[in-house]
Amino acid sequence: MIDFIIKVVAISSSGALAPGPLSAATAAIGTKHGWRGGFMVSGGHFAVELPLVILIAFFISTSGQVEEIMRPLAFVGGVFLLLFSYLTLKSAFEMREIPNKEQKFSPFLTGVALSAFNPFFIAWWAGVGSALISEALVIFGSIGVAILFASHIWIDFAFLSILAYATSFGGSTLRAYKFLLIFLGVLVSFFGFDYLCFALNGFHLPELMTKL
C-alpha cells in the first residue's frame, strides 16, 4: 500500500504544482484572502474532481475487465506522464515569476470553474488518472479508489493553501518553486517510463532493472 501511495503522491504533486490557470488565480486570491483563499479554491476543485474520479472508477469497474484494460491504460498514462514531465520541466526552466493574475471572483467558484473547464485537467484524469484508478481497483478493490483519492486530494489543498499564504506576503519563492518543479518533472518521467514498461512487457521498471 505504501508504494502505491508514494506513487500517487509523486504523480499528483506534479499536476498540483504545475503552473496553470488554477495556480495563477490562487496566487492572486492569496494577496487578498491569504491561505483561506487557497483552501477555498481547493474546495471548488474538490467539488469537481471527486465526481469525476467516481465516474471514471465506475466506468472502469463496470467494464468487468479491469485487469485486461490495465496495460492499455498504463500505456496511455505513461505517454501522458512523459508529456506532462516535459511540460513541467519546460515551465520550470522558462518561468520568470510565479503566475499572478488579478482575480475578482469567489475563491470557491474560481476553483470550480477553472477545474471544470480546464481540458488539461480532464485529460489528466482520463489518461494518467484512469491508469492509477485501474491499478487501485486491482490492488485494493473498491476501497482503492478512496485510498487513491485521499492520497491525491490533500496535495491540492496543501499546495494551493501554501501558495496563497506565500503570495499574501508578496515574498518571492520562485527559486524553490522552480527547483521543486524540476525535481517533480524528473520523478514523473520515471513513472512514465515505468507505466510504458508495464504496458509493453507486463512488469514494472524496478523489476526490469533487477533482471539486467
Side-chain angles (χ1 to χ4, degrees):
M1 178 185 292
I2 297 300
D3 291 346
F4 178 74
I5 291 176
I6 291 173
K7 178 191 293 187
V8 172
V9 169
I11 293 174
S12 299
S13 295
S14 69
L17 273 64
L22 195 63
S23 59
T26 301
I29 286 171
T31 61
K32 181 178 181 180
H33 298 280
W35 71 267
R36 292 178 180 82
F39 192 87
M40 292 170 67
V41 171
S42 301
H45 181 71
F46 171 87
V48 174
E49 193 163 42
L50 179 59
L52 177 62
V53 171
I54 292 174
L55 182 64
I56 294 174
F58 177 78
F59 174 77
I60 293 175
S61 61
T62 54
S63 69
Q65 299 176 323
V66 178
E67 295 189 18
E68 286 77 2
I69 65 175
M70 270 193 71
R71 289 177 67 174
L73 285 177
F75 182 83
V76 175
V79 171
F80 265 88
L81 283 173
L82 290 178
L83 174 61
F84 201 77
S85 172
Y86 165 75
L87 294 175
T88 300
L89 292 171
K90 183 173 181 290
S91 296
F93 286 113
E94 293 180 351
M95 187 184 301
R96 296 294 177 265
E97 61 181 6
I98 295 178
N100 194 343
K101 298 179 181 178
E102 185 177 358
Q103 180 57 248
K104 298 180 180 179
F105 298 104
S106 156
F108 180 83
L109 293 180
T110 296
V112 171
L114 294 182
S115 300
F117 300 106
N118 183 345
F120 195 77
F121 164 73
I122 304 298
W124 191 94
W125 273 108
V128 179
S130 293
L132 287 172
I133 290 171
S134 65
E135 186 174 353
L137 288 169
V138 168
I139 298 175
F140 307 109
S142 299
I143 192 65
V145 179
I147 294 173
L148 164 64
F149 192 73
S151 302
H152 168 86
I153 194 63
W154 74 268
I155 298 171
D156 292 325
F157 276 91
F159 170 67
L160 293 178
S161 297
I162 292 172
L163 176 61
Y165 179 75
T167 56
S168 69
F169 291 100
S172 174
T173 57
L174 179 61
R175 181 174 297 181
Y177 190 30
K178 290 179 68 172
F179 176 81
L180 189 56
L181 285 178
I182 292 171
F183 171 76
L184 289 170
V186 173
L187 185 61
V188 166
S189 69
F190 169 81
F191 287 115
F193 285 117
D194 178 61
Y195 269 31
L196 289 179
C197 179
F198 175 77
L200 298 175
N201 302 299
F203 48 82
H204 290 281
L205 200 55
E207 298 174 63
L208 175 63
M209 295 171 67
T210 60
K211 296 177 183 292
L212 297 178

